[in-house]
């Protein structure tokens, strides 16, 4: 069965303190891995798609990487406006599976 | 701007009542999806439709029903058979290619009166 596990569940950082969020997956036939950002009371907002191991994508302070077993979302020198829940989703041969998310809080 | 519109933003259901959540998209996407989001859990698929007049059950379809009479619209009805309907409901769409990311609306929060 396809599975996606995100860690940690919650992460609190000081402004400027870099860190990484993890998305571990087991899937038959990876077709794509997606990262989303979700603000409270809103729908997820698309950030990145990664298709193959070794691929990297960057956007402002965020960088997503992919291996055969996991993906990392690196956040460099975060600001309070980066506070949100970050969701990972994996598209396998059968369907799309979402992780439970990491709730990121950046304190000023 | 193209996007997905969900309404209402908040909805209250009385016991024994059916309620319908609206989802409209102007992205010209073929596929549309309904998810349920509960605290601490990933999004769970309720129903999806890849083409007009056709839809399939997802992982948690019991107590829900849908229709797809127009490409732009995919309403979800939460029936009285759904005993625990309190949740955040999200509608999404994609082009027919499943390798493309899903675009989401801003959700409807359903609560029990």
């Amino acid at each position: 069965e396809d599975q996606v596990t995100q860690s940690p569940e919650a992460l609190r950082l000081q402004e400027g303190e870099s860190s990484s969020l993890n998305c571990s997956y087991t899937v038959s036939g990876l077709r794509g891995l997606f990262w989303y950002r979700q603000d409270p009371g809103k729908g997820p907002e698309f950030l990145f798609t990664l298709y193959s191991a070794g691929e990297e994508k960057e956007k402002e302070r965020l960088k997503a990487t992919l291996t055969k077993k996991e993906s990392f979302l690196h956040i460099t020198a975060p600001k309070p406006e980066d506070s949100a829940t970050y969701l990972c989703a994996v598209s396998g041969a059968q369907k799309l599976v979402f992780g439970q998310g990491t709730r990121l809080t950046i304190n000023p | 701007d193209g996007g997905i519109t969900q309404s209402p933003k908040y909805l209250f259901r009385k016991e024994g009542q059916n309620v319908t959540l609206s989802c409209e998209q102007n992205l010209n996407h073929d596929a549309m999806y309904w998810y349920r989001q509960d605290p601490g859990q990933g999004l769970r698929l309720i129903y999806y439709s890849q083409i007009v007049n056709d839809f399939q059950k997802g992982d948690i379809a019991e107590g829900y029903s849908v229709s797809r009479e127009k490409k732009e619209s995919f309403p979800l009805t939460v029936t009285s058979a759904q005993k625990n309907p309190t949740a955040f409901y999200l509608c999404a769409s994609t082009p027919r290619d499943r390798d493309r990311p899903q675009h989401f609306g801003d959700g409807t929060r359903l609560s029990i009166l």
Side-chain angles (χ1 to χ4, degrees), chain A residues 31 36 38 51 92-93 95, chain B residues 37 59 98-99 102 105-106:
Chain A
R31 297 175 60 146
Y36 291 87
Q38 186 176 22
Y51 291 108
K95 61 179 183 178
Chain B
Q37 187 174 36
D59 299 319
R98 191 158 57 82
D99 297 345
Q102 295 187 358
D106 272 343

Side-chain angles (χ1 to χ4, degrees), chain B residues 10-14 85-87 109-113:
Chain B
Y10 300 97
L11 188 58
F12 297 91
R13 195 191 89 169
K14 295 179 182 178
T86 298
R109 186 164 299 279
L110 176 62
S111 302
I112 297 287
L113 275 180

Side-chain angles (χ1 to χ4, degrees), chain A residues 51-77:
Chain A
Y51 291 108
S52 57
E55 191 174 359
E56 299 182 352
K57 294 273 180 74
E58 282 189 73
K59 179 181 179 180
E60 296 180 354
R61 295 177 292 282
L62 298 176
K63 178 180 177 180
T65 62
L66 181 65
T67 73
K68 289 185 178 180
K69 294 182 179 180
E70 58 192 349
S71 176
F72 290 95
L73 185 65
H74 307 278
I75 182 161
T76 303

